[in-house]
PDB file of all heavy atoms in Angstrom:
ATOM      1  N   SER A 470       9.755  -8.581  -3.044  1.00 95.00           N
ATOM      2  CA  SER A 470       9.061  -8.331  -4.299  1.00 95.00           C
ATOM      3  C   SER A 470       7.573  -8.016  -3.944  1.00 95.00           C
ATOM      4  O   SER A 470       6.919  -8.744  -3.286  1.00 95.00           O
ATOM      5  CB  SER A 470       9.121  -9.539  -5.220  1.00 95.00           C
ATOM      6  OG  SER A 470       8.366  -9.336  -6.378  1.00 95.00           O
ATOM      7  N   ALA A 471       7.086  -6.849  -4.497  1.00 97.00           N
ATOM      8  CA  ALA A 471       5.753  -6.374  -4.203  1.00 97.00           C
ATOM      9  C   ALA A 471       4.885  -6.474  -5.454  1.00 97.00           C
ATOM     10  O   ALA A 471       5.374  -6.415  -6.564  1.00 97.00           O
ATOM     11  CB  ALA A 471       5.785  -4.970  -3.696  1.00 97.00           C
ATOM     12  N   ARG A 472       3.610  -6.681  -5.172  1.00 97.00           N
ATOM     13  CA  ARG A 472       2.629  -6.571  -6.272  1.00 97.00           C
ATOM     14  C   ARG A 472       1.399  -5.737  -5.798  1.00 97.00           C
ATOM     15  O   ARG A 472       1.143  -5.738  -4.601  1.00 97.00           O
ATOM     16  CB  ARG A 472       2.179  -7.997  -6.737  1.00 97.00           C
ATOM     17  CG  ARG A 472       1.543  -8.845  -5.635  1.00 97.00           C
ATOM     18  CD  ARG A 472       1.123 -10.169  -6.209  1.00 97.00           C
ATOM     19  NE  ARG A 472       0.555 -11.046  -5.256  1.00 97.00           N
ATOM     20  CZ  ARG A 472      -0.588 -11.749  -5.505  1.00 97.00           C
ATOM     21  NH1 ARG A 472      -1.170 -11.669  -6.712  1.00 97.00           N
ATOM     22  NH2 ARG A 472      -1.062 -12.556  -4.541  1.00 97.00           N
ATOM     23  N   TYR A 473       0.817  -5.129  -6.726  1.00 98.00           N
ATOM     24  CA  TYR A 473      -0.263  -4.155  -6.429  1.00 98.00           C
ATOM     25  C   TYR A 473      -1.474  -4.422  -7.351  1.00 98.00           C
ATOM     26  O   TYR A 473      -1.314  -4.855  -8.504  1.00 98.00           O
ATOM     27  CB  TYR A 473       0.238  -2.751  -6.629  1.00 98.00           C
ATOM     28  CG  TYR A 473       1.365  -2.290  -5.775  1.00 98.00           C
ATOM     29  CD1 TYR A 473       2.695  -2.483  -6.114  1.00 98.00           C
ATOM     30  CD2 TYR A 473       1.051  -1.643  -4.587  1.00 98.00           C
ATOM     31  CE1 TYR A 473       3.664  -2.052  -5.290  1.00 98.00           C
ATOM     32  CE2 TYR A 473       2.061  -1.197  -3.756  1.00 98.00           C
ATOM     33  CZ  TYR A 473       3.358  -1.406  -4.111  1.00 98.00           C
ATOM     34  OH  TYR A 473       4.371  -0.978  -3.286  1.00 98.00           O
ATOM     35  N   ALA A 474      -2.622  -4.078  -6.835  1.00 98.00           N
ATOM     36  CA  ALA A 474      -3.806  -4.045  -7.669  1.00 98.00           C
ATOM     37  C   ALA A 474      -3.645  -2.905  -8.646  1.00 98.00           C
ATOM     38  O   ALA A 474      -2.994  -1.829  -8.297  1.00 98.00           O
ATOM     39  CB  ALA A 474      -5.068  -3.822  -6.790  1.00 98.00           C
ATOM     40  N   ASP A 475      -4.114  -3.031  -9.842  1.00 98.00           N
ATOM     41  CA  ASP A 475      -3.985  -1.939 -10.817  1.00 98.00           C
ATOM     42  C   ASP A 475      -4.583  -0.650 -10.341  1.00 98.00           C
ATOM     43  O   ASP A 475      -4.031   0.408 -10.646  1.00 98.00           O
ATOM     44  CB  ASP A 475      -4.691  -2.421 -12.162  1.00 98.00           C
ATOM     45  CG  ASP A 475      -3.873  -3.462 -12.888  1.00 98.00           C
ATOM     46  OD1 ASP A 475      -2.703  -3.719 -12.548  1.00 98.00           O
ATOM     47  OD2 ASP A 475      -4.489  -4.138 -13.783  1.00 98.00           O
ATOM     48  N   SER A 476      -5.630  -0.731  -9.563  1.00 97.00           N
ATOM     49  CA  SER A 476      -6.305   0.452  -9.174  1.00 97.00           C
ATOM     50  C   SER A 476      -5.537   1.307  -8.191  1.00 97.00           C
ATOM     51  O   SER A 476      -5.891   2.491  -7.996  1.00 97.00           O
ATOM     52  CB  SER A 476      -7.700   0.076  -8.517  1.00 97.00           C
ATOM     53  OG  SER A 476      -7.456  -0.766  -7.367  1.00 97.00           O
ATOM     54  N   VAL A 477      -4.462   0.763  -7.597  1.00 98.00           N
ATOM     55  CA  VAL A 477      -3.695   1.529  -6.600  1.00 98.00           C
ATOM     56  C   VAL A 477      -2.256   1.781  -7.038  1.00 98.00           C
ATOM     57  O   VAL A 477      -1.528   2.519  -6.358  1.00 98.00           O
ATOM     58  CB  VAL A 477      -3.703   0.774  -5.232  1.00 98.00           C
ATOM     59  CG1 VAL A 477      -5.116   0.553  -4.785  1.00 98.00           C
ATOM     60  CG2 VAL A 477      -2.865  -0.432  -5.207  1.00 98.00           C
ATOM     61  N   LYS A 478      -1.867   1.238  -8.173  1.00 98.00           N
ATOM     62  CA  LYS A 478      -0.464   1.426  -8.636  1.00 98.00           C
ATOM     63  C   LYS A 478      -0.167   2.903  -8.771  1.00 98.00           C
ATOM     64  O   LYS A 478      -0.990   3.693  -9.394  1.00 98.00           O
ATOM     65  CB  LYS A 478      -0.256   0.678  -9.956  1.00 98.00           C
ATOM     66  CG  LYS A 478      -0.150  -0.802  -9.833  1.00 98.00           C
ATOM     67  CD  LYS A 478       0.105  -1.468 -11.146  1.00 98.00           C
ATOM     68  CE  LYS A 478       0.213  -2.976 -10.995  1.00 98.00           C
ATOM     69  NZ  LYS A 478       0.354  -3.687 -12.311  1.00 98.00           N
ATOM     70  N   GLY A 479       0.995   3.318  -8.324  1.00 97.00           N
ATOM     71  CA  GLY A 479       1.365   4.715  -8.369  1.00 97.00           C
ATOM     72  C   GLY A 479       0.863   5.578  -7.255  1.00 97.00           C
ATOM     73  O   GLY A 479       1.352   6.739  -7.124  1.00 97.00           O
ATOM     74  N   ARG A 480      -0.087   5.008  -6.452  1.00 98.00           N
ATOM     75  CA  ARG A 480      -0.636   5.790  -5.360  1.00 98.00           C
ATOM     76  C   ARG A 480      -0.301   5.143  -4.033  1.00 98.00           C
ATOM     77  O   ARG A 480      -0.115   5.892  -3.018  1.00 98.00           O
ATOM     78  CB  ARG A 480      -2.148   5.935  -5.521  1.00 98.00           C
ATOM     79  CG  ARG A 480      -2.566   6.607  -6.769  1.00 98.00           C
ATOM     80  CD  ARG A 480      -4.179   6.854  -6.728  1.00 98.00           C
ATOM     81  NE  ARG A 480      -4.904   5.603  -6.700  1.00 98.00           N
ATOM     82  CZ  ARG A 480      -5.807   5.324  -5.737  1.00 98.00           C
ATOM     83  NH1 ARG A 480      -6.009   6.200  -4.738  1.00 98.00           N
ATOM     84  NH2 ARG A 480      -6.466   4.180  -5.732  1.00 98.00           N
ATOM     85  N   PHE A 481      -0.283   3.864  -3.947  1.00 98.00           N
ATOM     86  CA  PHE A 481      -0.001   3.135  -2.719  1.00 98.00           C
ATOM     87  C   PHE A 481       1.349   2.492  -2.777  1.00 98.00           C
ATOM     88  O   PHE A 481       1.806   2.067  -3.869  1.00 98.00           O
ATOM     89  CB  PHE A 481      -1.031   2.008  -2.505  1.00 98.00           C
ATOM     90  CG  PHE A 481      -2.501   2.458  -2.281  1.00 98.00           C
ATOM     91  CD1 PHE A 481      -2.828   3.810  -2.363  1.00 98.00           C
ATOM     92  CD2 PHE A 481      -3.422   1.568  -1.849  1.00 98.00           C
ATOM     93  CE1 PHE A 481      -4.189   4.215  -2.058  1.00 98.00           C
ATOM     94  CE2 PHE A 481      -4.681   1.973  -1.603  1.00 98.00           C
ATOM     95  CZ  PHE A 481      -5.030   3.267  -1.742  1.00 98.00           C
ATOM     96  N   THR A 482       1.966   2.435  -1.562  1.00 98.00           N
ATOM     97  CA  THR A 482       3.270   1.766  -1.464  1.00 98.00           C
ATOM     98  C   THR A 482       3.280   0.845  -0.292  1.00 98.00           C
ATOM     99  O   THR A 482       2.966   1.282   0.824  1.00 98.00           O
ATOM    100  CB  THR A 482       4.428   2.750  -1.342  1.00 98.00           C
ATOM    101  OG1 THR A 482       4.417   3.694  -2.448  1.00 98.00           O
ATOM    102  CG2 THR A 482       5.761   2.068  -1.258  1.00 98.00           C
ATOM    103  N   ILE A 483       3.656  -0.421  -0.464  1.00 98.00           N
ATOM    104  CA  ILE A 483       3.708  -1.363   0.621  1.00 98.00           C
ATOM    105  C   ILE A 483       5.203  -1.526   0.987  1.00 98.00           C
ATOM    106  O   ILE A 483       6.089  -1.499   0.102  1.00 98.00           O
ATOM    107  CB  ILE A 483       3.119  -2.716   0.182  1.00 98.00           C
ATOM    108  CG1 ILE A 483       2.935  -3.640   1.436  1.00 98.00           C
ATOM    109  CG2 ILE A 483       3.915  -3.379  -0.891  1.00 98.00           C
ATOM    110  CD1 ILE A 483       2.129  -4.859   1.195  1.00 98.00           C
ATOM    111  N   SER A 484       5.478  -1.650   2.259  1.00 96.00           N
ATOM    112  CA  SER A 484       6.814  -1.864   2.714  1.00 96.00           C
ATOM    113  C   SER A 484       6.748  -2.822   3.958  1.00 96.00           C
ATOM    114  O   SER A 484       5.687  -2.958   4.580  1.00 96.00           O
ATOM    115  CB  SER A 484       7.479  -0.545   3.100  1.00 96.00           C
ATOM    116  OG  SER A 484       6.797   0.085   4.136  1.00 96.00           O
ATOM    117  N   ARG A 485       7.862  -3.420   4.211  1.00 94.00           N
ATOM    118  CA  ARG A 485       7.949  -4.379   5.219  1.00 94.00           C
ATOM    119  C   ARG A 485       9.184  -4.222   6.060  1.00 94.00           C
ATOM    120  O   ARG A 485      10.295  -4.098   5.518  1.00 94.00           O
ATOM    121  CB  ARG A 485       7.886  -5.793   4.601  1.00 94.00           C
ATOM    122  CG  ARG A 485       7.920  -6.958   5.480  1.00 94.00           C
ATOM    123  CD  ARG A 485       7.744  -8.230   4.657  1.00 94.00           C
ATOM    124  NE  ARG A 485       8.028  -9.405   5.378  1.00 94.00           N
ATOM    125  CZ  ARG A 485       7.941 -10.654   4.892  1.00 94.00           C
ATOM    126  NH1 ARG A 485       7.496 -10.820   3.665  1.00 94.00           N
ATOM    127  NH2 ARG A 485       8.287 -11.688   5.560  1.00 94.00           N
ATOM    128  N   ASP A 486       9.064  -4.224   7.377  1.00 92.00           N
ATOM    129  CA  ASP A 486      10.174  -4.174   8.316  1.00 92.00           C
ATOM    130  C   ASP A 486      10.268  -5.498   8.998  1.00 92.00           C
ATOM    131  O   ASP A 486       9.519  -5.817   9.930  1.00 92.00           O
ATOM    132  CB  ASP A 486       9.953  -3.020   9.299  1.00 92.00           C
ATOM    133  CG  ASP A 486      11.175  -2.800  10.221  1.00 92.00           C
ATOM    134  OD1 ASP A 486      11.915  -3.788  10.398  1.00 92.00           O
ATOM    135  OD2 ASP A 486      11.286  -1.689  10.746  1.00 92.00           O
ATOM    136  N   ASN A 487      11.178  -6.343   8.550  1.00 89.00           N
ATOM    137  CA  ASN A 487      11.267  -7.700   9.105  1.00 89.00           C
ATOM    138  C   ASN A 487      11.676  -7.704  10.533  1.00 89.00           C
ATOM    139  O   ASN A 487      11.235  -8.616  11.324  1.00 89.00           O
ATOM    140  CB  ASN A 487      12.222  -8.549   8.245  1.00 89.00           C
ATOM    141  CG  ASN A 487      11.650  -8.841   6.845  1.00 89.00           C
ATOM    142  OD1 ASN A 487      10.444  -8.941   6.667  1.00 89.00           O
ATOM    143  ND2 ASN A 487      12.503  -8.973   5.880  1.00 89.00           N
ATOM    144  N   ALA A 488      12.518  -6.757  10.910  1.00 91.00           N
ATOM    145  CA  ALA A 488      12.938  -6.748  12.301  1.00 91.00           C
ATOM    146  C   ALA A 488      11.801  -6.467  13.261  1.00 91.00           C
ATOM    147  O   ALA A 488      11.807  -6.952  14.420  1.00 91.00           O
ATOM    148  CB  ALA A 488      14.037  -5.650  12.448  1.00 91.00           C
ATOM    149  N   LYS A 489      10.805  -5.719  12.793  1.00 92.00           N
ATOM    150  CA  LYS A 489       9.643  -5.398  13.603  1.00 92.00           C
ATOM    151  C   LYS A 489       8.429  -6.288  13.289  1.00 92.00           C
ATOM    152  O   LYS A 489       7.344  -6.064  13.832  1.00 92.00           O
ATOM    153  CB  LYS A 489       9.278  -3.958  13.432  1.00 92.00           C
ATOM    154  CG  LYS A 489      10.337  -2.943  13.888  1.00 92.00           C
ATOM    155  CD  LYS A 489       9.917  -1.540  13.713  1.00 92.00           C
ATOM    156  CE  LYS A 489      10.961  -0.533  14.243  1.00 92.00           C
ATOM    157  NZ  LYS A 489      10.533   0.842  14.010  1.00 92.00           N
ATOM    158  N   ASN A 490       8.610  -7.163  12.337  1.00 92.00           N
ATOM    159  CA  ASN A 490       7.471  -8.004  11.866  1.00 92.00           C
ATOM    160  C   ASN A 490       6.278  -7.180  11.522  1.00 92.00           C
ATOM    161  O   ASN A 490       5.090  -7.514  11.824  1.00 92.00           O
ATOM    162  CB  ASN A 490       7.109  -9.037  12.960  1.00 92.00           C
ATOM    163  CG  ASN A 490       8.184 -10.003  13.183  1.00 92.00           C
ATOM    164  OD1 ASN A 490       8.852 -10.480  12.227  1.00 92.00           O
ATOM    165  ND2 ASN A 490       8.331 -10.489  14.417  1.00 92.00           N
ATOM    166  N   THR A 491       6.535  -6.068  10.810  1.00 95.00           N
ATOM    167  CA  THR A 491       5.477  -5.109  10.519  1.00 95.00           C
ATOM    168  C   THR A 491       5.425  -4.873   9.010  1.00 95.00           C
ATOM    169  O   THR A 491       6.487  -4.723   8.328  1.00 95.00           O
ATOM    170  CB  THR A 491       5.732  -3.828  11.274  1.00 95.00           C
ATOM    171  OG1 THR A 491       5.626  -4.089  12.655  1.00 95.00           O
ATOM    172  CG2 THR A 491       4.672  -2.768  10.931  1.00 95.00           C
ATOM    173  N   VAL A 492       4.233  -4.779   8.503  1.00 97.00           N
ATOM    174  CA  VAL A 492       3.992  -4.359   7.098  1.00 97.00           C
ATOM    175  C   VAL A 492       3.202  -3.027   7.117  1.00 97.00           C
ATOM    176  O   VAL A 492       2.302  -2.864   7.864  1.00 97.00           O
ATOM    177  CB  VAL A 492       3.317  -5.444   6.324  1.00 97.00           C
ATOM    178  CG1 VAL A 492       1.970  -5.735   6.839  1.00 97.00           C
ATOM    179  CG2 VAL A 492       3.268  -5.077   4.806  1.00 97.00           C
ATOM    180  N   TYR A 493       3.606  -2.138   6.226  1.00 98.00           N
ATOM    181  CA  TYR A 493       3.001  -0.815   6.114  1.00 98.00           C
ATOM    182  C   TYR A 493       2.352  -0.658   4.723  1.00 98.00           C
ATOM    183  O   TYR A 493       2.759  -1.238   3.739  1.00 98.00           O
ATOM    184  CB  TYR A 493       4.050   0.287   6.286  1.00 98.00           C
ATOM    185  CG  TYR A 493       4.835   0.193   7.583  1.00 98.00           C
ATOM    186  CD1 TYR A 493       6.050  -0.468   7.578  1.00 98.00           C
ATOM    187  CD2 TYR A 493       4.313   0.716   8.760  1.00 98.00           C
ATOM    188  CE1 TYR A 493       6.782  -0.560   8.779  1.00 98.00           C
ATOM    189  CE2 TYR A 493       5.085   0.648   9.927  1.00 98.00           C
ATOM    190  CZ  TYR A 493       6.297   0.011   9.934  1.00 98.00           C
ATOM    191  OH  TYR A 493       6.981  -0.099  11.123  1.00 98.00           O
ATOM    192  N   LEU A 494       1.327   0.177   4.744  1.00 98.00           N
ATOM    193  CA  LEU A 494       0.723   0.518   3.474  1.00 98.00           C
ATOM    194  C   LEU A 494       0.528   2.081   3.470  1.00 98.00           C
ATOM    195  O   LEU A 494      -0.328   2.576   4.197  1.00 98.00           O
ATOM    196  CB  LEU A 494      -0.587  -0.127   3.223  1.00 98.00           C
ATOM    197  CG  LEU A 494      -1.283   0.114   1.843  1.00 98.00           C
ATOM    198  CD1 LEU A 494      -0.473  -0.581   0.739  1.00 98.00           C
ATOM    199  CD2 LEU A 494      -2.748  -0.382   1.837  1.00 98.00           C
ATOM    200  N   GLN A 495       1.368   2.705   2.662  1.00 98.00           N
ATOM    201  CA  GLN A 495       1.307   4.151   2.544  1.00 98.00           C
ATOM    202  C   GLN A 495       0.336   4.424   1.389  1.00 98.00           C
ATOM    203  O   GLN A 495       0.587   3.980   0.248  1.00 98.00           O
ATOM    204  CB  GLN A 495       2.646   4.779   2.279  1.00 98.00           C
ATOM    205  CG  GLN A 495       2.612   6.287   2.023  1.00 98.00           C
ATOM    206  CD  GLN A 495       2.197   7.052   3.242  1.00 98.00           C
ATOM    207  OE1 GLN A 495       2.578   6.716   4.361  1.00 98.00           O
ATOM    208  NE2 GLN A 495       1.372   8.063   2.992  1.00 98.00           N
ATOM    209  N   MET A 496      -0.755   5.155   1.701  1.00 98.00           N
ATOM    210  CA  MET A 496      -1.790   5.397   0.726  1.00 98.00           C
ATOM    211  C   MET A 496      -1.835   6.886   0.443  1.00 98.00           C
ATOM    212  O   MET A 496      -2.166   7.681   1.368  1.00 98.00           O
ATOM    213  CB  MET A 496      -3.141   4.935   1.208  1.00 98.00           C
ATOM    214  CG  MET A 496      -3.112   3.435   1.616  1.00 98.00           C
ATOM    215  SD  MET A 496      -4.770   2.812   2.030  1.00 98.00           S
ATOM    216  CE  MET A 496      -5.076   3.726   3.561  1.00 98.00           C
ATOM    217  N   ASN A 497      -1.526   7.280  -0.776  1.00 98.00           N
ATOM    218  CA  ASN A 497      -1.547   8.691  -1.145  1.00 98.00           C
ATOM    219  C   ASN A 497      -2.656   8.898  -2.282  1.00 98.00           C
ATOM    220  O   ASN A 497      -3.138   7.936  -2.848  1.00 98.00           O
ATOM    221  CB  ASN A 497      -0.196   9.101  -1.723  1.00 98.00           C
ATOM    222  CG  ASN A 497       0.886   9.002  -0.744  1.00 98.00           C
ATOM    223  OD1 ASN A 497       0.680   9.216   0.473  1.00 98.00           O
ATOM    224  ND2 ASN A 497       2.063   8.694  -1.201  1.00 98.00           N
ATOM    225  N   SER A 498      -2.968  10.103  -2.446  1.00 98.00           N
ATOM    226  CA  SER A 498      -3.951  10.491  -3.480  1.00 98.00           C
ATOM    227  C   SER A 498      -5.255   9.618  -3.381  1.00 98.00           C
ATOM    228  O   SER A 498      -5.771   9.089  -4.339  1.00 98.00           O
ATOM    229  CB  SER A 498      -3.385  10.314  -4.886  1.00 98.00           C
ATOM    230  OG  SER A 498      -2.239  11.129  -5.033  1.00 98.00           O
ATOM    231  N   LEU A 499      -5.713   9.502  -2.155  1.00 98.00           N
ATOM    232  CA  LEU A 499      -6.874   8.710  -1.889  1.00 98.00           C
ATOM    233  C   LEU A 499      -8.096   9.171  -2.617  1.00 98.00           C
ATOM    234  O   LEU A 499      -8.376  10.410  -2.774  1.00 98.00           O
ATOM    235  CB  LEU A 499      -7.127   8.585  -0.414  1.00 98.00           C
ATOM    236  CG  LEU A 499      -6.144   7.618   0.330  1.00 98.00           C
ATOM    237  CD1 LEU A 499      -6.087   7.902   1.775  1.00 98.00           C
ATOM    238  CD2 LEU A 499      -6.602   6.179   0.050  1.00 98.00           C
ATOM    239  N   LYS A 500      -8.937   8.233  -3.057  1.00 98.00           N
ATOM    240  CA  LYS A 500     -10.159   8.509  -3.790  1.00 98.00           C
ATOM    241  C   LYS A 500     -11.339   7.862  -3.047  1.00 98.00           C
ATOM    242  O   LYS A 500     -11.192   6.934  -2.226  1.00 98.00           O
ATOM    243  CB  LYS A 500     -10.108   7.872  -5.190  1.00 98.00           C
ATOM    244  CG  LYS A 500      -8.864   8.248  -6.011  1.00 98.00           C
ATOM    245  CD  LYS A 500      -8.855   7.469  -7.313  1.00 98.00           C
ATOM    246  CE  LYS A 500      -7.633   7.770  -8.163  1.00 98.00           C
ATOM    247  NZ  LYS A 500      -7.637   6.989  -9.423  1.00 98.00           N
ATOM    248  N   PRO A 501     -12.548   8.438  -3.274  1.00 97.00           N
ATOM    249  CA  PRO A 501     -13.723   7.837  -2.544  1.00 97.00           C
ATOM    250  C   PRO A 501     -13.884   6.337  -2.801  1.00 97.00           C
ATOM    251  O   PRO A 501     -14.337   5.599  -1.889  1.00 97.00           O
ATOM    252  CB  PRO A 501     -14.871   8.607  -3.201  1.00 97.00           C
ATOM    253  CG  PRO A 501     -14.277   9.988  -3.555  1.00 97.00           C
ATOM    254  CD  PRO A 501     -12.862   9.658  -3.985  1.00 97.00           C
ATOM    255  N   GLU A 502     -13.451   5.900  -3.988  1.00 97.00           N
ATOM    256  CA  GLU A 502     -13.566   4.444  -4.244  1.00 97.00           C
ATOM    257  C   GLU A 502     -12.518   3.579  -3.491  1.00 97.00           C
ATOM    258  O   GLU A 502     -12.582   2.344  -3.536  1.00 97.00           O
ATOM    259  CB  GLU A 502     -13.401   4.176  -5.766  1.00 97.00           C
ATOM    260  CG  GLU A 502     -12.207   4.834  -6.411  1.00 97.00           C
ATOM    261  CD  GLU A 502     -12.584   6.164  -7.081  1.00 97.00           C
ATOM    262  OE1 GLU A 502     -13.277   6.967  -6.483  1.00 97.00           O
ATOM    263  OE2 GLU A 502     -12.034   6.369  -8.192  1.00 97.00           O
ATOM    264  N   ASP A 503     -11.640   4.234  -2.798  1.00 98.00           N
ATOM    265  CA  ASP A 503     -10.709   3.469  -1.891  1.00 98.00           C
ATOM    266  C   ASP A 503     -11.384   3.173  -0.537  1.00 98.00           C
ATOM    267  O   ASP A 503     -10.760   2.496   0.339  1.00 98.00           O
ATOM    268  CB  ASP A 503      -9.436   4.282  -1.604  1.00 98.00           C
ATOM    269  CG  ASP A 503      -8.605   4.489  -2.852  1.00 98.00           C
ATOM    270  OD1 ASP A 503      -8.486   3.487  -3.713  1.00 98.00           O
ATOM    271  OD2 ASP A 503      -8.142   5.599  -3.118  1.00 98.00           O
ATOM    272  N   THR A 504     -12.544   3.698  -0.355  1.00 98.00           N
ATOM    273  CA  THR A 504     -13.273   3.460   0.951  1.00 98.00           C
ATOM    274  C   THR A 504     -13.546   1.978   1.073  1.00 98.00           C
ATOM    275  O   THR A 504     -14.163   1.358   0.212  1.00 98.00           O
ATOM    276  CB  THR A 504     -14.617   4.270   0.955  1.00 98.00           C
ATOM    277  OG1 THR A 504     -14.271   5.639   0.992  1.00 98.00           O
ATOM    278  CG2 THR A 504     -15.391   3.899   2.208  1.00 98.00           C
ATOM    279  N   ALA A 505     -13.150   1.443   2.219  1.00 98.00           N
ATOM    280  CA  ALA A 505     -13.314  -0.039   2.414  1.00 98.00           C
ATOM    281  C   ALA A 505     -12.754  -0.352   3.849  1.00 98.00           C
ATOM    282  O   ALA A 505     -12.136   0.509   4.440  1.00 98.00           O
ATOM    283  CB  ALA A 505     -12.547  -0.816   1.416  1.00 98.00           C
TER     284      ALA A 505
END
């Protein structure tokens, strides 16, 4: 189950590969305010 900040909903996608112990964040339609 995933949850997102309102500011990134519809643009960012989080996913998790348990076999690799890895979490990913796909960020699309990036905006200057995403700078951090």
